[in-house]
Amino acid sequence: MKTYQDIKSAATIDAIIPYVEALLDIRFKCVKKNRYNAPCPFHADTKENFMVYVNKEDEVRFHCFGACKGDWDIADLIMLRKKYPFRRAQQVWAEHLGVAEFTFDDGRSPCIPEPDETAEPDEPVGFVEPKQPDEKMVATLDDAASFYHELLMSNEDRFRTVWDYLARRGVEKDTIRRFNIGYAPPYSDEQHHGRALIAGILPRVEKDPGIFNAFSDAGLVRFLNDGSVKGYGYYSRQIDFRRKDPFSRNYGDYFAGRMVFPIYDADAGVTGMVGRRPESRGVRWLKHQAREVPLSAKSWLYGIEKAAPYIRQYRTIILVEGLFDYFAFYNLLQGQDKLVVASTLGSYLTPEAATILKGLDIENYIAAYDWDELGRNGIERAAVQSGGWVYYLGGLADGQDPYDKLEPVVSAISGFSLQHL
């Protein structure tokens, strides 16, 4: 009885080549005996980096010497293309060869996770030392923010779940417009398939491939065949072999499935983005990170572009943890011309953000963080970073929001002092 090794040996290479050509819609060029090359179908390959060869174990292997660095056997390719489990992929290949009985490899593919074993992940994004993004990257981020915003604004009925979620959190249509909030449809979306932004820029990319590089370098698209990332099993299943162009086949929108909140600096220049799922599961937030020119999330202060003039006037700032904490105070303060609130996007005022705030001549800091361990630690760190008075909201009851504490005393905010609070 044949083994799995037998049905992928060098003796099967003449059957493997035409099968893989049809499977992946590529054409191989014979370089020499048992050696073939083709453009890699798993990334935007402009050269023939996809190689077929026979290794020392007499096994036919596929390897990309280009961007994706992938390494597969015939079953791996069937798993990727057909979304089959390892055992089923072996069986499909054996049946194609006319092998009625063989001994399965009962292990797991070392390259491809089993289908459905990896859910959509929320990978944490590490911080980097701040670097000044160039004008091209800022323009690219602004372009993407506007695209997602227009997509959300023009599809109220289609994205009703998103609109309803934002409304429940106090973010109404006028606020969505003011803050350029958008939405990136998920991979399960029947129209966009997690590629709304990519489809939007594709006509420009066809004329100038460098445009795609700008969006990739800005961290706005995700390479789906990156075996080094958390959730590779999930993303590799999103490769869409029905698409002819390599960009929309092998890449997806980085924020697919999330509401998109652009982050601006005090001069209203976009410096990054934050994504949030419109449902409460897993780690719901995703911070954006650029590739080639890292954008430091350490200096992010959500809403600072709206608040800066008022902060200078009242010499006061209210620091909150989350975006929806921010919108609660925004709705309260904007009508009183006291919009002195910004979100640190977490219970931590970083030295980089503190430096920005010191440039606004702030005398009084109100740290409206939750009264849990993280919040209390954040208040202490804010006191160290600010170098001034820091007021905090002690004694919050379980489930009580900082907004509930501050709302009755907002009228005390003046251009003089908050000590009577």
Side-chain angles (χ1 to χ4, degrees):
M1 182 179 293
K2 291 185 180 293
T3 66
Y4 175 53
Q5 290 297 124
D6 293 332
I7 64 173
K8 60 174 181 175
S9 68
T12 66
I13 195 168
D14 289 340
I16 283 178
I17 293 302
Y19 182 87
V20 172
E21 287 182 328
L23 183 74
L24 302 181
D25 191 23
I26 58 176
R27 291 294 176 267
F28 285 112
K29 179 171 68 176
C30 182
V31 179
K32 58 182 180 180
K33 180 177 175 60
N34 290 342
R35 183 72 61 86
Y36 298 81
N37 287 349
C40 181
F42 298 109
H43 71 274
D45 192 8
T46 57
K47 300 179 181 179
E48 295 179 337
N49 286 306
F50 190 55
M51 178 185 291
V52 187
Y53 68 98
V54 177
N55 67 12
K56 295 179 180 179
E57 287 72 39
D58 195 46
E59 174 186 3
V60 178
R61 301 292 302 180
F62 302 81
H63 185 84
C64 175
F65 289 91
C68 69
K69 309 296 182 187
D71 192 80
W72 309 274
D73 67 9
I74 182 62
D76 295 326
L77 297 182
I78 294 172
M79 290 176 70
L80 276 172
R81 179 64 179 89
K82 300 292 188 181
K83 321 302 181 190
Y84 288 160
F86 186 37
R87 188 179 181 89
R88 174 64 177 145
Q90 295 176 63
Q91 183 179 13
V92 166
W93 177 237
E95 290 173 352
H96 180 80
L97 293 177
V99 177
E101 295 184 0
F102 75 103
T103 303
F104 285 96
D105 183 334
D106 290 328
R108 299 162 62 90
S109 168
C111 303
I112 311 299
E114 292 290 307
D116 301 323
E117 72 173 14
T118 306
E120 182 179 1
D122 280 292
E123 57 274 68
V125 178
F127 291 142
V128 297
E129 290 305 310
K131 294 184 180 181
Q132 186 67 31
D134 59 24
E135 292 182 3
K136 182 178 180 181
M137 178 166 292
V138 171
T140 301
L141 291 170
D142 190 59
D143 191 354
S146 297
F147 174 86
Y148 285 132
H149 175 67
E150 290 302 320
L151 188 63
L152 178 62
M153 295 298 292
S154 60
N155 288 276
E156 286 193 50
D157 291 335
R158 191 164 190 276
F159 301 138
R160 176 51 52 193
T161 300
V162 177
W163 282 91
D164 290 347
Y165 177 86
L166 288 169
R168 288 195 304 272
R169 302 303 299 268
V171 185
E172 300 293 344
K173 189 171 186 177
D174 185 60
T175 305
I176 292 171
R177 185 179 290 110
R178 283 172 182 253
F179 286 85
N180 210 25
I181 298 169
Y183 181 59
Y187 292 103
S188 59
D189 183 90
E190 293 182 357
Q191 178 178 342
H192 297 287
H193 303 283
R195 294 164 168 83
L197 179 63
I198 291 175
I201 66 173
L202 196 57
R204 293 152 57 189
V205 170
E206 290 173 346
K207 296 178 181 179
D208 179 8
I211 291 174
F212 188 86
N213 293 335
F215 281 82
S216 178
D217 291 344
L220 295 167
V221 298
R222 180 189 300 278
F223 179 43
L224 299 174
N225 194 44
D226 185 353
S228 66
V229 302
K230 178 182 178 182
Y232 167 63
Y234 172 81
Y235 292 120
S236 65
R237 293 197 302 278
Q238 311 308 326
I239 299 172
D240 191 347
F241 290 92
R242 298 169 299 178
R243 300 171 184 261
K244 296 298 182 183
D245 71 274
F247 303 106
S248 58
R249 180 198 304 145
N250 294 307
Y251 294 81
D253 292 0
Y254 184 76
F255 285 107
R258 289 173 174 83
M259 300 170 289
V260 180
F261 300 84
I263 310 293
Y264 297 90
D265 60 23
D267 297 321
V270 63
T271 62
M273 296 183 183
V274 172
R276 209 280 188 193
R277 284 180 174 149
E279 71 275 350
S280 296
R281 64 180 179 87
V283 182
R284 297 177 290 277
W285 292 98
L286 181 64
K287 289 183 179 180
H288 156 259
Q289 184 95 1
R291 276 179 48 202
E292 298 301 323
V293 183
L295 301 173
S296 176
K298 289 181 178 181
S299 61
W300 287 356
L301 288 163
Y302 190 80
I304 193 65
E305 78 283 4
K306 301 282 194 300
Y310 299 94
I311 291 172
R312 288 189 176 98
Q313 176 183 349
Y314 293 106
R315 307 187 76 174
T316 297
I317 189 169
I318 300 173
L319 297 173
V320 298
E321 293 185 35
L323 282 184
F324 294 113
D325 293 326
Y326 171 85
F327 288 119
F329 283 106
Y330 172 82
N331 293 334
L332 174 67
L333 296 167
Q334 65 163 330
Q336 303 186 29
D337 286 331
K338 297 179 178 180
L339 190 58
V340 292
V341 62
S343 171
T344 49
L345 301 173
S347 55
Y348 181 35
L349 177 63
T350 66
E352 292 80 2
T355 299
I356 293 172
L357 296 181
K358 287 175 183 177
L360 300 177
D361 298 323
I362 298 172
E363 289 185 354
N364 302 297
Y365 292 78
I366 303 175
Y369 291 162
D370 292 338
W371 196 241
D372 54 15
E373 183 178 358
L374 287 175
R376 292 194 297 272
N377 290 339
I379 291 166
E380 293 180 6
R381 288 194 295 264
V384 172
Q385 297 295 348
S386 67
W389 280 98
V390 174
Y391 302 89
Y392 64 94
L393 309 175
L396 287 174
D398 288 342
Q400 189 176 18
D401 191 90
Y403 176 85
D404 302 325
K405 276 275 197 181
L406 268 183
E407 192 270 339
V409 294
V410 165
S411 60
I413 296 174
S414 70
F416 302 100
S417 174
L418 294 177
Q419 300 213 23
H420 55 284
L421 272 177

